[in-house]
Amino acid sequence: MTSTSYSMQERFAAAKQALEQCDQLHLLAYYEALLPADRQHLLAQMESVDWQELGRLVESHVRQRPELKLPDRIDPAPCYPWPASPDLREKYRHARQLGEDLLRAGKVAAFTVAGGQGTRLGWNGPKGTFPATPIRKLPLFGCFAEYIRKAQQKYSCVIPWYVMTSPVNDAQTRHYLQENAYFGLDAGNVVVFPQGMMPALDLVSGKVLMESPSSIALSPNGHGGSLKALYTQGAVADMKNRGIEHISYVQVDNPSVRVVDPLFIGLHALDKAQMSSKMLPKAFPKEKLGNFCIVDGRMTVIEYSDLPDELAEQRLANGELRFRAGSIAIHVLRTDFVESLNTRAGGFALPYHRAEKKVPYLDLDTGQVVKPQNPNAVKLETFVFDALPFCTASIILQTDRIDEFAPIKNADGIDSPSTSRALQIERAARWLEARGVKVPRSEEGGVDAILEISPLTAIEPGDLADVKLPEQIERRASVLF
Ligand code: UTP
């Protein structure tokens, strides 16, 4: 039902009926007392939820726990190694060439998922606005935009940038990008669109929580929501108009990611893959990364917590973990694959994953907002990697931790701004050392200087060949290239 074609009474009646059927009628408790604009708001929220599906999810994910059905047979997924083994060097050369040709021909888009709430980091604002780099404190969005500018210049092409937000941070993100003049990109080539939302559910009763008398407690429906939102929000249609064949998918929290990587795109295209992934070899068996596996002939990610210990700990004769490929949320997807998912007969649905979270809520008895100290709610999210089993072809390329993985997730400790900064400095040092620059290091091997290489200067070590570099860096110096 669209909000324009029906009267308020009809919309109210439809909402009431849907809510009654799944035992969520309490959401209308304050309706009669609301102002017309607030009624509109609440009804619009209700119309955005699939209540039948929600009813089923309350049963399967709150009243019960989703059953973990591990397949009888799980094999490790094959991966393209990095660096290339001698037998693959020629294929990598060819793939890189193909990736560059696809970029030059304007067939590749960059896509950043930035709809998450970033609660662990606790930054006041969209995570993309977080100052990430060691010297300039360039925000994450700036890192991606500068990367795209450099790639556009290298390959004389346009790389449109799609940014997925959520209704929680959409307006702030748009305003921020505009205020910063899209970090030098052409505004016409930056497309911002919001993902869908899911209601938060009371941990015990499964009742949908309200955040105010006129608002349901909604949160973004997970990065898996990008696969629907790309289609429903018109991004796929826009891509088709522009002739985009491949979508380079990255998360907003990794300033070191190769926003578009010709080798990765080329291998994916050469092997006619529909959705491909990058992996890091896990540092230890239960590292908190999803495991790339083959199940029933299909690429599948099994979460670290779900992979049985005996499999996680298996080793090959050379000592390597048998299940070593960890997922770091870097993908390439064919545009027509995303379209085909959304136009399948009967639709497509990714499984929901449950997470227990602290969600402030309106206590309907007292009319007060409660800020819980302990998790009180179930949030339901879908994950983008759950689309992999829909692929008939999918490749994985290994990458290097220091080169490409400096995530900012937590306020401190692991995967925090300070670990990310140290990784960015180490990478800059390696790139400079590869060009013969002497970089000061401590006895333990750490870099004893603050270094930052702007993506506008170099997005790979080879780009430094055109840059005048010093012979050495002074100890404790702060140097921006
Ligand atoms: P995370 O899983 O780290 O979640 O997202 P988060 O919401 O950013 O952070 P926490 O868990 O609240 O601390 C990984 C990537 O997926 C995006 C995030 O923006 C980030 O780029 N994401 C996550 C979405 O785009 N939508 C979502 O619903 C969830």
Side-chain angles (χ1 to χ4, degrees), residues 112-122 127 164-166 169 195-196 219-226 249-253 329 357 379 381-383 408-410:
T112 306
V113 289
Q117 290 176 302
T119 42
R120 285 170 289 171
L121 182 62
K127 208 191 246 189
M164 185 179 80
T165 60
S166 78
N169 64 17
Q195 68 177 107
S219 47
N221 61 6
H223 41 67
S226 62
Y249 170 109
V250 301
Q251 299 195 152
V252 77
D253 50 27
K357 303 263 175 164
K379 279 191 183 177
E381 294 193 345
T382 59
F383 296 158
I408 299 176
K409 297 266 186 206
N410 304 305

Side-chain angles (χ1 to χ4, degrees), residues 228-274:
K228 270 215 168 86
L230 275 167
Y231 187 74
T232 57
Q233 298 299 314
V236 164
D238 186 68
M239 287 173 183
K240 284 172 69 185
N241 277 339
R242 293 174 190 254
I244 299 295
E245 291 175 3
H246 304 279
I247 307 168
S248 179
Y249 170 109
V250 301
Q251 299 195 152
V252 77
D253 50 27
N254 182 5
S256 294
V257 69
R258 294 191 186 105
V259 179
V260 289
D261 178 353
L263 172 64
F264 182 36
I265 296 163
L267 283 171
H268 154 90
L270 209 54
D271 286 4
K272 305 207 174 342
Q274 291 153 320

Side-chain angles (χ1 to χ4, degrees), residues 77-95:
C79 304
Y80 281 109
W82 181 257
S85 48
D87 57 317
L88 284 170
R89 277 193 203 129
E90 185 48 29
K91 181 162 188 184
Y92 279 31
R93 199 197 52 73
H94 181 44

Side-chain angles (χ1 to χ4, degrees), residues 18-47:
L19 295 174
E20 237 162 15
Q21 279 164 9
C22 59
D23 200 19
Q24 302 283 356
L25 214 46
H26 62 286
L27 298 176
L28 292 171
Y30 286 87
Y31 186 84
E32 293 303 327
L34 296 178
L35 296 171
D38 290 338
R39 288 184 177 182
Q40 290 270 10
H41 173 75
L42 184 59
L43 286 177
Q45 277 191 331
M46 288 172 176
E47 286 155 4

Side-chain angles (χ1 to χ4, degrees), residues 75 196 208 238-239 264 305 372 391 398 440:
D75 289 306
V208 171
D238 186 68
M239 287 173 183
F264 182 36
S305 49
C391 297
Q398 180 175 344

